[in-house]
Amino acid sequence: MVEANLMGFAFDFAPTSAWLVWILPFVAALIIPAVGKASKRATGSVAVAFALMSALSAATLLPGALESHEVHDQVNWISTIGIKAGVLADPLAVIMANVVGWISFLIMVYSTGYMKGDKDIVRFWFWMMFFIGSMQIIVLSDNLLMMFFGWEGVGLASYALISFWYRDKHKDHVGVQGRTVLGLQEYYAPTHAGMKAFIMTKVGDIMMLAGMFLIFAFAGTFGFRELMHDTAWATSMQAQGLLVPAAVLLFGGAIGKSAQFPLNEWLLEAMTGPTAVSALIHAATMVKAGVFLVARIGPLFFALAAAGFAMDQFFEIIAWVGGITALLLATQGMVNSEIKKVLAYSTGSQIGYMMMAMGIAGLSHQYVDGYTAGFFHLISHAMFKASLFMAAGSLLHVVGSRFMTDMGGLRKHMKKTYAFMWAAGLGLMGAPFITTGFWSKDAIFAAVYESGNTWAMPLFAIAVVTAVITSFYTTRMIGMVFFGDKSKHIEHMEKEGHHIHEASMSMWIPYGILAVLTIGIGVIGLTAEHGIHELFTEYLGNTFHIEAEHGAEEDNGLPSFLAGINPIALMASLAAFSIGIILGYVFYIGRFVDPVKFVNSNIFFYAIHKVMLNRWYLNAMVYWCFVVAPLWLARGIWRYFERFAIDLGMNVGIEKSVGWGAKVVQRAQTGVAQSYLYVFGAGILFIVLFLFI
């Protein structure tokens, strides 16, 4: 039986469209292996076509979502306990589904050029479409259990795609061969990286599963709408001190999938996968799943807080996990020489911004401000970071190296990629007034600064310092790749007859579109932000009864077109961008100061650089605590307990003891009756004496 709640939505096909958004990619995944038997080349066309149809299905839901309508459609699933599967296409889900759908489509187009000629191309398309379908399940699910199926699906696809080049050739590794940290090599093969990602994200998945079933034990439902309509479960859980722990356990899933501290270390090694995978999974979609989860459950817990439930600890954890991750990963991006790793550090750092905004929203009276800022940055980051990753893939294709030190002087040979990387890079840096990144970061700064929370100022300081570092390492990346002289690596390539050239159209058009959108939407960014703010204000009010406070608008002393902008946040944004780009220009574009000599000129700078380069020793400590030490313990148990106590003591020892005893008994069997009587009499005498004693 199907239940549909269209809430005034005018299009009868809306429920069907909502289902098709995630079903179509799975259909493609099912037929691609069969198509591949006939023609491997045709599989790319099938993948692109189905990705486009999925994106178009998501687009048909936009008109209703922009009018704050929703589609909620359900079918029976586990009838014995009354669980239904359903799609919930509310404004939050519809916008996210379109972000995932359209960026996925562009990346699939890019992949037709990037993966051309790969002998495992059928497997690539299968897992990419499987991933898109799983991600859209996460976005459109109306309950936690169905969402978890999508959650595990993206984890499985991520493992398969990170390990895609499973033959572990040296060119597919990440890290520097021979380099060690705390005695451990930081040079990883694709299969190792895939397993690392799988295991570390599973830590978060188990936490999420525990939180889900803890809530189900009290509520009897996994449904998002049902949990909101009847909050008796929350009262029971708070009485037993379980409400905040359950919420934090759910957030644990977000920490794992979005590579937030302390489960952030898997993301850097995930760069062993093809760059198209990095653009799709580790920039635009899967790592955003954690942010989406917080955006989905956050309003529910804030509404409970408004009703008198103590939820501050939950939101403080979100805000501080985001803040720590943002700063921690940004500092590492400053010093790394692998272009995809720099972008990966940046991704985790920017997701930290989103988490910070979502957390501070729950600690503020104006929940919608932080909520909108975090989600607007998700949209903006998905565009410019997917563009940067795809552009980086073009560079790797042309140069044949993942190291920026093997590049240099490429702006004359790759003019389109150079221009698009500047556009997308300016979005990442938050270039004032012309990029989406500026408006979304400014909104986060303002939300944190205006929250009035005890932690507002420390978090605001972290946000600003992180913005300075972001601007610096982005300028550094562009300077190392496109400016200066050609590297010895490129000169050697040219001597051998390999000429540097622009990427093919199928590759540069997708990242060019996203780069142009970063600037195009950025020009009207304030209007776009206000539009999203109004949409979410209505959505949160209608669904969760979270009302925005409307105070008298104060004159901020800025021009009229900047009405509503916080001047402190604006000045902080401008200062962060300026300081970072100036420093980056001095070191890596103008080359006025040699960064190597600068670092080595002072013991303090050298020490800080080493700590950052060694990933604050966190990765090495993870390996020592959870890999090396357990292996030592296991080997010790095997050597001294299993091998000695079990194998020698029990298996061999018992065998020999029984054999020796058998020989003793055998010798006692003399066949002489007098001997038996003697033993029998001695035994009776012994028992009698024992009883008397």
Side-chain angles (χ1 to χ4, degrees):
M1 176 178 157
V2 177
E3 297 178 3
N5 176 19
L6 301 184
M7 296 180 64
F9 194 72
F11 304 106
D12 293 335
F13 57 80
T16 303
S17 295
W19 286 98
L20 286 176
V21 170
W22 66 265
I23 289 174
L24 284 169
F26 282 123
V27 172
L30 286 173
I31 67 175
I32 279 172
V35 173
K37 294 289 185 182
S39 170
K40 286 188 176 183
R41 290 187 64 183
T43 55
S45 301
V46 171
V48 170
F50 274 85
L52 177 60
M53 287 190 288
S54 176
L56 289 171
S57 298
T60 62
L61 300 170
L62 269 175
L66 294 177
E67 294 179 8
S68 294
H69 299 315
E70 74 175 30
V71 175
H72 188 195
D73 197 52
Q74 293 181 316
V75 295
N76 288 327
W77 185 13
I78 308 175
S79 302
T80 52
I81 53 176
I83 294 178
K84 296 181 178 182
V87 288
L88 177 58
D90 57 8
L92 173 69
V94 171
I95 293 174
M96 186 70 179
N98 275 275
V99 170
V100 172
W102 288 106
I103 291 181
S104 297
F105 165 67
L106 290 174
I107 293 172
M108 299 304 269
V109 173
Y110 170 86
S111 299
T112 59
Y114 184 83
M115 297 298 293
K116 187 176 180 179
D118 194 290
K119 62 181 179 181
D120 294 318
I121 190 66
V122 175
R123 179 162 54 88
F124 174 82
W125 292 123
F126 170 83
W127 282 114
M128 290 288 272
M129 296 309 297
F130 183 91
F131 171 84
I132 294 171
S134 299
M135 185 67 200
Q136 294 290 29
I137 286 180
I138 292 174
V139 173
L140 290 163
S141 294
D142 75 334
N143 65 83
L144 282 165
L145 186 60
M146 185 175 170
M147 175 185 272
F148 192 75
F149 274 80
W151 201 266
E152 291 303 288
V154 297
L156 178 62
S158 176
Y159 164 72
L161 289 166
I162 292 169
S163 308
F164 181 76
W165 285 315
Y166 63 88
R167 294 171 183 85
D168 290 348
K169 295 179 181 178
H170 286 297
K171 68 181 182 65
D172 300 323
H173 285 50
V174 293
V176 179
Q177 190 171 9
R179 188 174 180 278
T180 60
V181 178
L182 297 182
L184 302 173
Q185 259 204 29
E186 290 204 337
Y187 182 66
Y188 303 105
T191 51
H192 179 100
M195 188 60 69
K196 181 177 181 179
F198 190 79
I199 292 172
M200 290 195 76
T201 55
K202 281 294 165 285
V203 175
D205 294 353
I206 291 169
M207 292 175 67
M208 180 180 175
L209 196 64
M212 283 169 44
F213 280 104
L214 194 56
I215 290 174
F216 181 78
F218 285 85
T221 181
F222 293 106
F224 297 121
R225 289 293 176 263
E226 293 83 352
L227 289 171
M228 183 61 211
H229 291 156
D230 182 5
T231 59
W233 60 274
T235 304
S236 302
M237 291 187 77
Q238 177 159 280
Q240 297 190 34
L242 294 174
L243 183 58
V244 171
V248 172
L249 285 170
L250 281 178
F251 178 57
I255 291 175
K257 277 290 185 288
S258 289
Q260 298 294 282
F261 179 82
L263 298 177
N264 56 284
E265 292 302 326
W266 66 267
L267 182 60
L268 296 316
E269 277 65 68
M271 297 303 105
T272 55
T275 305
V277 171
S278 303
L280 178 66
I281 296 181
H282 306 121
T285 52
M286 188 189 86
V287 288
K288 302 293 185 359
V291 182
F292 180 79
L293 174 63
V294 176
R296 176 59 84 195
I297 65 173
L300 169 63
F301 290 116
F302 184 78
L304 292 176
F309 293 87
M311 297 302 301
D312 279 3
Q313 283 182 318
F314 170 61
F315 288 106
E316 285 174 358
I317 289 170
I318 295 174
W320 274 107
V321 164
I324 291 168
T325 307
L327 183 59
L328 183 71
L329 295 190
T331 57
Q332 296 175 54
M334 292 171 65
V335 297
N336 203 277
S337 61
E338 294 178 65
I339 189 167
K340 285 177 65 177
K341 270 197 172 185
V342 171
L343 293 174
Y345 283 120
S346 174
T347 295
S349 176
Q350 297 300 302
I351 291 173
Y353 267 131
M354 300 167 209
M355 291 296 188
M356 185 194 302
M358 293 288 181
I360 207 68
L363 301 172
S364 167
H365 294 296
Q366 285 285 64
Y367 182 80
V368 69
D369 288 352
Y371 188 85
T372 300
F375 202 80
F376 185 33
H377 196 54
L378 182 153
I379 299 169
S380 142
H381 179 265
M383 289 191 298
F384 60 67
K385 187 54 67 65
S387 178
L388 284 168
F389 261 112
M390 287 189 280
S394 294
L395 294 170
L396 267 64
H397 246 289
V398 171
V399 177
S401 173
R402 63 185 181 273
F403 294 99
M404 295 185 289
T405 49
D406 287 336
M407 302 177 191
L410 295 179
R411 69 185 187 280
K412 297 176 183 177
H413 303 278
M414 302 181 71
K415 293 179 181 179
K416 294 184 181 70
T417 299
Y418 171 63
F420 294 141
M421 282 198 79
W422 257 123
L426 287 172
L428 176 57
M429 289 188 276
F433 309 120
I434 61 167
T435 62
T436 56
F438 170 75
W439 300 110
S440 56
K441 278 187 185 178
D442 181 80
I444 292 173
F445 287 5
V448 174
Y449 184 79
E450 294 174 354
S451 66
N453 186 264
T454 307
W455 300 114
M457 285 304 101
L459 287 170
F460 183 75
I462 288 174
V464 174
V465 172
T466 302
V468 173
I469 297 172
T470 303
S471 184
F472 172 78
Y473 67 63
T474 308
T475 309
R476 170 182 179 264
M477 176 182 67
I478 292 174
M480 291 180 72
V481 171
F482 294 105
F483 289 84
D485 298 325
K486 293 179 182 178
S487 67
K488 292 180 180 179
H489 174 77
I490 292 177
E491 289 177 350
H492 179 70
M493 285 179 62
E494 290 180 333
K495 284 179 181 178
E496 293 187 345
H498 300 285
H499 297 291
I500 305 299
H501 56 84
E502 186 57 83
S504 64
M505 285 183 63
S506 63
M507 292 173 67
W508 67 255
I509 287 178
Y511 61 78
I513 289 171
L514 292 174
V516 170
L517 285 174
T518 298
I519 301 296
I521 297 176
V523 172
I524 58 165
L526 191 56
T527 304
E529 183 195 336
H530 286 163
I532 294 174
H533 192 282
E534 290 175 9
L535 178 65
F536 281 143
T537 298
E538 190 171 353
Y539 162 66
L540 293 171
N542 292 340
T543 306
F544 300 97
H545 310 297
I546 299 172
E547 302 297 333
E549 295 184 1
H550 301 285
E553 196 168 297
E554 298 180 5
D555 181 14
N556 58 13
L558 299 173
S560 57
F561 77 94
L562 293 176
I565 294 290
N566 182 288
I568 302 297
L570 178 61
M571 292 302 108
S573 296
L574 294 174
F577 170 77
S578 302
I579 294 169
I581 198 169
I582 288 170
L583 289 173
Y585 184 86
V586 167
F587 283 101
Y588 294 100
I589 295 180
R591 313 282 172 119
F592 300 116
V593 180
D594 185 338
V596 176
K597 290 181 179 178
F598 178 79
V599 167
N600 292 329
S601 66
N602 184 292
I603 187 62
F604 176 75
F605 293 148
Y606 176 81
I608 290 294
H609 179 272
K610 186 176 180 180
V611 168
M612 293 176 181
L613 189 62
N614 290 339
R615 297 163 68 164
W616 293 86
Y617 297 98
L618 292 174
N619 187 60
M621 286 190 283
V622 166
Y623 274 90
W624 274 108
C625 294
F626 299 103
V627 180
V628 178
L631 280 174
W632 278 356
L633 179 62
R635 286 166 183 160
I637 291 173
W638 173 77
R639 180 176 297 170
Y640 299 110
F641 180 72
E642 291 186 14
R643 193 177 174 193
F644 182 76
I646 303 296
D647 289 349
L648 291 176
M650 293 183 64
N651 297 340
V652 177
I654 290 175
E655 177 193 352
K656 290 187 178 298
S657 298
V658 170
W660 179 81
K663 288 179 180 178
V664 170
V665 172
Q666 183 181 16
R667 289 174 181 174
Q669 303 300 315
T670 61
V672 179
Q674 290 88 339
S675 299
Y676 297 156
L677 288 172
Y678 173 77
V679 172
F680 181 69
I684 292 175
L685 180 61
F686 175 78
I687 292 171
V688 170
L689 291 174
F690 179 78
L691 290 174
F692 276 111
I693 292 172

